[in-house]
Amino acid sequence: MLDVAAITILLAFAFTFTNGFQDASSVAATLVASRSATPKKGIVLVAGMSFLGAVLGGSAVAFTLSGLLTLDPGVQTLWVLLAAILSATLWNLATWSYGLPSSSTHALIGGLIGAGMAAAGMGSVYWGIEELLAPQPEVVGLVKILVFFVASVFVGFSVSYLMRRTTRLLLRNAKKTVTWRIVSLNRITAALMAFFNGANDSQKQLGIIALVLFAAGESAVVEVPLWARLTCAVLLALGTLGGGWRIMRTLGRRIFKIEPIHSFDSQVSSAATIALSTLAGAPISSTHVITTSVIGVGAAENPQRVHWRVGKDIVAAMVVTIPGTALSGALVYFVISLFTGA
């Protein structure tokens, strides 16, 4: 059992690294594309703030994710977690190779659902439907995750759209020198967005690690150890430094041409959405929030300048990620069970 736990934790760390270049690198896209920072300085800033967010960002999201499965502690749960992590990591690598800003978050959630159902049926997942339909409704379990998933995308688009409309009105008679102030503000908003992104992103893997330790009998309760938090923080930062260029090109150049004010509007919207979701304990997709905020700014500026086809590709990735990784998670678990009898 300890061997399986160790392998799963190592895969969770590997997933954190791929999450760094899949999700966290998206944070730097508008900052760099708007020429508010050089690529090197932008990535270093985002990596550093993501590290701090992972260390100081709390555990609310981790506990939400670790409560998604209702399986009893034991070796079967460890195999389920191993299959989920492996499935999500493969998904990250596949989407990264095509430069698509897919969601590491929903890849992991889909892997957990698929592997859990393959192991113990529908009852293995905390759906949250009964609680939602109760006389005093509660938004918990998978329902909570899906509600925040939809809401975060809608808010990301709407708030950035309103931000662009507002700033265009306020700055209609501004001098060109105001651009330098906006560039400075961009760096601040990018730092804040990276901090909350690091807090939200890292906790997904930390929730898995906490559940692995509990299932293996290495901890009496589901809790996040400090050594795991620090390791995830380092790997998230290294992943950001090492592999985000393809996705940065998609978000920063292919949707529409971004100027400093566009970057500012997008980053304010994204930072607020990610921060509120993190405080609520909801594991959202930072990539999707940032993407829809960029599209919202472009739509407010000039809908004809937006390359909507890119947006459609990204929306398609949003829709297929959870079902796709649920299927792959189930397949990976079945393969594991053939060799282990799990």
Side-chain angles (χ1 to χ4, degrees):
M1 186 181 292
L2 291 179
D3 290 341
V4 179
I7 293 172
T8 307
I9 290 173
L10 288 175
L11 279 175
F13 287 149
F15 180 77
T16 304
F17 182 80
T18 65
N19 193 33
F21 62 66
Q22 177 61 271
D23 276 1
S25 59
S26 304
V27 180
T30 60
L31 180 70
V32 173
S34 66
R35 301 174 301 283
S36 297
T38 63
K40 183 177 180 180
K41 290 182 179 179
I43 286 290
V44 169
L45 172 65
V46 168
M49 293 304 295
S50 294
F51 173 85
L52 291 177
V55 173
L56 304 174
S59 302
V61 175
F63 292 141
T64 296
L65 195 68
S66 63
L68 185 59
L69 296 178
T70 60
L71 298 171
D72 294 327
V75 68
Q76 184 185 52
T77 299
L78 292 177
W79 286 122
V80 167
L81 296 173
L82 177 62
I85 285 285
L86 185 58
S87 171
T89 302
L90 292 174
W91 185 271
N92 266 1
L93 293 172
T95 53
W96 169 76
S97 67
Y98 288 100
L100 285 175
S102 178
S103 169
S104 299
T105 303
H106 298 105
L108 183 56
I109 291 168
L112 286 170
I113 293 171
M117 289 196 297
M122 297 284 289
S124 64
V125 179
Y126 184 24
W127 301 100
I129 297 175
E130 292 183 9
E131 290 79 3
L132 181 66
L133 300 177
Q136 295 182 335
E138 290 183 88
V139 180
V140 295
L142 183 61
V143 168
K144 177 179 180 178
I145 292 171
L146 294 179
V147 165
F148 272 87
F149 165 50
V150 175
S152 64
V153 170
F154 176 78
V155 171
F157 177 89
S158 302
V159 174
S160 63
Y161 182 92
L162 293 174
M163 279 287 299
R164 178 76 281 259
R165 289 288 190 178
T166 302
T167 53
R168 186 164 63 179
L169 179 63
L170 294 176
L171 300 175
R172 64 187 183 279
N173 296 320
K175 297 179 180 179
K176 291 185 178 181
T177 53
V178 76
T179 301
W180 293 108
R181 295 183 181 179
I182 294 171
V183 166
S184 298
L185 289 173
N186 270 343
R187 294 166 186 165
I188 296 173
T189 54
L192 289 173
M193 186 165 61
F195 178 88
F196 290 113
N197 175 75
N200 199 287
D201 275 357
S202 64
Q203 288 188 52
K204 300 150 193 172
Q205 291 75 252
L206 292 175
I208 296 296
I209 293 171
L211 197 54
V212 167
L213 295 173
F214 178 67
E218 293 300 304
S219 61
V221 295
V222 178
E223 60 182 0
V224 178
L226 180 60
W227 58 265
R229 186 179 296 279
L230 291 174
T231 303
C232 281
V234 170
L235 290 172
L236 188 67
L238 290 177
T240 304
L241 290 171
W245 305 106
R246 289 173 181 244
I247 295 165
M248 282 177 61
R249 284 195 294 269
T250 297
L251 289 179
R253 299 178 186 176
R254 289 177 56 200
I255 295 177
F256 82 107
K257 185 178 179 180
I258 293 178
E259 301 296 337
I261 187 61
H262 303 140
S263 177
F264 174 75
D265 293 334
S266 170
Q267 288 176 168
V268 169
S269 170
S270 299
T273 304
I274 298 169
L276 291 173
S277 300
T278 302
L279 293 173
I284 64 167
S285 169
S286 301
T287 300
H288 290 171
V289 171
I290 295 166
T291 300
T292 52
S293 72
V294 172
I295 295 174
V297 169
E301 182 68 29
N302 186 345
Q304 295 181 348
R305 291 173 54 191
V306 179
H307 297 168
W308 293 102
R309 186 173 182 178
V310 176
K312 291 179 181 178
D313 291 342
I314 293 169
V315 170
M318 293 181 188
V319 173
V320 304
T321 296
I322 289 181
T325 51
L327 178 61
S328 64
L331 291 174
V332 171
Y333 182 82
F334 281 131
V335 171
I336 290 174
S337 65
L338 289 176
F339 292 96
T340 64

